[in-house]
Amino acid sequence: MANGPLNGVKVLEYCENVAGPYCAKQFSDLGAQVIKVERPEGDEARRRGPFYHDEADPEHSACFLFNNTNKKSITLNLESRKGQEILKKLIAKTDIFLEDTQPGTMERLGLGYDTLSSINPGLIMAALTPYGQTGPYRDYKAYYLNTFHASGAGYLLPADSPNTDREPIKMGGSMGESDIGICAAVGILGAYYWREFNGGKGQYIDISKQEAEMAIERQNIALYHETGKSKTRTSNSAVRDILIKCGDGSYIKIVLLPENQWNGLVRALGNPEWTKKEEFSTDALRIKNYRQMEKYLTETAKEYNSYQLFEKIQAEGTACAPVCNAEQVYKSPQAEVRGFFVEMDHPAVGEIKYPGMPFTSSAVPPTDNQAAPLLGQNNEEIYSGILGYSKEDLVKLKEAGVI
Amino acid sequence: MPEKALKGIKIVNFGWVYAAPYCSMLLSFMGADVVKVESRLRVDQTRRTGVFVGDGATVGLESSPMFNNINLNSKGVTINLKNPKGIELAKRLVAECDVVMENMRPGVMDKLGLGYEDLKAVKPDIIMLSMSGFGSKGPYGHYAGYAPVFASFGGGAYLTGYSDGDPNTGSGVMDLRAGTAAAFAVLSALVYRNRTGEGQYIDLSCSESVGVLVGPELLEYPLTGRSPERCGNEDVIMAPHQVYRCKGDDKWVSIAVATDEEFAALCKVMGKPELAEDPAYADRYSRWENRKELDKIISGWTPGYSHLEITRMLQAVGVAAAPSFTAEELVSDPHTIAREKFITVDHPTQGKKWVLTPPWKFSETPATIEKCCPVIGEDNDHFFLDVLGLSQEEYAILKEEKAIE
């Protein structure tokens, strides 16, 4: 267990893939005890690539390894009556229970909020589902692709498309699912604060993935109400910025509005003649003549790689950044100084550096980080150490397919 | 009246644009009291951006619905931080609060005399959050950053876009992602303070807050030695996993298939049950390998129907499908309406404004929107007279001297 500001908080997680596990990771990385309850087959993420050394081993999945740091893993079959009984025992010893099954599943298993809160009245139970526990789409099936597009966020991407000939897309990688996880974590920790420090009690939190992503894309809704028109992927972003391909094939993004951004760029490039042209003399004209400006800048950028241009332009106070791939993010000198990457040792993949927290804290820098658990790694510790089952019981439970 | 989860927590926010205001707004939904410190001499640029209400003649500091939508529930005071008496006032305000937030360029608060050490001197257990593009230290600590910059440097933009296209920095809302991460950090600091009595300084990098959201993809580099590429809507193993054109102008539906059963159900609805038996598509790997062909077949079917019709047909047989909704469709959708996703708040000059309700449904402590954004300086009397206890004379002098401006 990591050392951090949430030491002492107890979380039980029954979630798979990204959103739920990433939510619980917020807690475990800051020192909470998180017990991850996995089906005997394990979290689905264990079967998703990429894998360490390209070996499709359930302990090698990047997705699993990232989203489950600092947690303990136990296996439990909630479809079995005994499994349900064991879960209830664990519920009695937890502050927060996070689950991501389809609405109605926990009730079917006899593990609905009413039952669980009668066992532990202080329980905070949070359910993370595609469309929430109510409403006409409550039972709709969805994967990340679907909830992201259902939130309205996909329709805006890729931003600044030249036309709408091609399909709207999702944000890359796990981003939309991770958005949901952290949004949920904020609400859950708020509920915990109420219970612990504001004279509150346990409660149930219904979180819809669609709504959590809509929260991020909230300006889209406000804009529609003003204009009566839906924004689409050809619309420009609020701050006009430009993407330029550099000499080495990498990209740089440069912010060109307001005027001081442009002025810094001009200085950085050594006041070339083309920047003095009438057609680039005001913000309005630069927006209008964006494509010509793009041509000039691309010509200039041929002499540089994106990192060189980045440092040169930032030195004049203009916001810009290289478009970094994973390797570049890992090799960033900034990440090095901030200690963004945290080394952890894992029984199957060894010592690897993981992306850590996006902030540093003066009071409790998290220490003692542990890599993700092996499937069922903590069965004995939890079932025997906490619930008091004997080793003999554990063998029986395993034989019966309960754990 | 139901209780508020974060009742009693007081936040003073020196932040502007989207990142820090969104952070405190999320906490205000749960009952934290937020006061935004602004100055007429240094106006939050969001008051001047976005689509404005009314014609050019009425454009002013109170006309931006974008500003309203990111500063809901907040109170507002005006303090001129270039005036030493303004700095004293700001410190007195901080002394009354639990949390201070800011997202100016690193070093600016220190120069103003409002750095963490200065604020700790007036409130020993203060929690201070600084948000910046790259974090306050390090070789790029002083560099400028906006949303497209965080998206690029953090690793998110590289992964977003068509597989044969340019990287994409998204729709300009990366600040809200940073704000959400910051809200969790601040809440954890409040828990820690209540347990130990200690405050803390939190230095958040907006670029890193984008990086962690694509953590699994970043981790691919040390695990395999490769950096993943962007791939539009495609998945690492699922197929079909794409957005397809439907009947209507620029209308699209997302369809994602994980299992053989789902695929067979999809084929049946398309009237091509034989596809499920075709060795080219019969198992998960084959579907993924032949996904481009599969996408062509599905694209030949979807334009015959609306995205809602396809969603209904596929959901009825257990296949995950959803429209790529426009804002207009979202606000009139029966599901979002049933979930009460939109409410209006009254703004003194803009009138009724539609806003999105908070993203959690609590059984005991409902998250709420109580009011619109602050009109600049609207709570000056309350904070300077009632909270800080200035006399009418002192207050008048500070206004006269433009410390309150």
Side-chain angles (χ1 to χ4, degrees), chain B residues 180-241:
Chain B
T180 313
F184 191 80
V186 167
L187 273 176
S188 71
L190 282 162
V191 169
Y192 185 77
R193 183 205 64 178
N194 285 14
R195 292 252 156 88
T196 64
E198 271 184 65
Q200 62 182 283
Y201 177 65
I202 299 167
D203 175 12
L204 183 133
S205 153
C206 294
S207 299
E208 288 173 3
S209 72
V210 171
V212 290
L213 300 175
V214 291
E217 287 72 29
L218 296 183
L219 194 59
E220 183 168 348
Y221 173 66
L223 290 177
T224 68
R226 297 185 301 262
S227 294
E229 296 296 326
R230 51 194 164 271
C231 56
N233 287 311
E234 290 182 356
D235 184 62
V236 292
I237 188 62
M238 285 165 70
H241 193 275

Side-chain angles (χ1 to χ4, degrees), chain A residues 255-274:
Chain A
V255 177
L256 291 171
L257 285 182
E259 181 124 40
N260 61 341
Q261 292 287 318
W262 163 256
N263 293 339
L265 174 68
V266 171
R267 285 195 304 274
L269 299 180
N271 301 297
E273 280 307 308
W274 67 266

Side-chain angles (χ1 to χ4, degrees), chain B residues 245-249 251-252 302-307 309:
Chain B
R245 189 183 285 281
C246 297
K247 191 195 276 183
D249 179 24
K251 299 294 180 195
W252 303 80
T302 52
Y305 303 90
S306 77
H307 54 16
E309 285 167 343

Side-chain angles (χ1 to χ4, degrees), chain A residues 226, chain B residues 52-59 63:
Chain A
E226 296 315 317
Chain B
F52 291 93
V53 174
D55 56 27
T58 61
V59 167
S63 311

Side-chain angles (χ1 to χ4, degrees), chain A residues 141 143 167 192 311 361, chain B residues 137 140 162 195 200 262:
Chain A
K141 188 187 257 187
Y143 297 102
E167 69 279 7
Y192 177 81
E311 292 180 351
S361 152
Chain B
K137 291 186 295 262
Y140 305 148
Y162 302 117
R195 292 252 156 88
Q200 62 182 283
E262 289 170 353

Side-chain angles (χ1 to χ4, degrees), chain B residues 316-327:
Chain B
V317 296
V319 174
S324 188
F325 276 130
T326 65

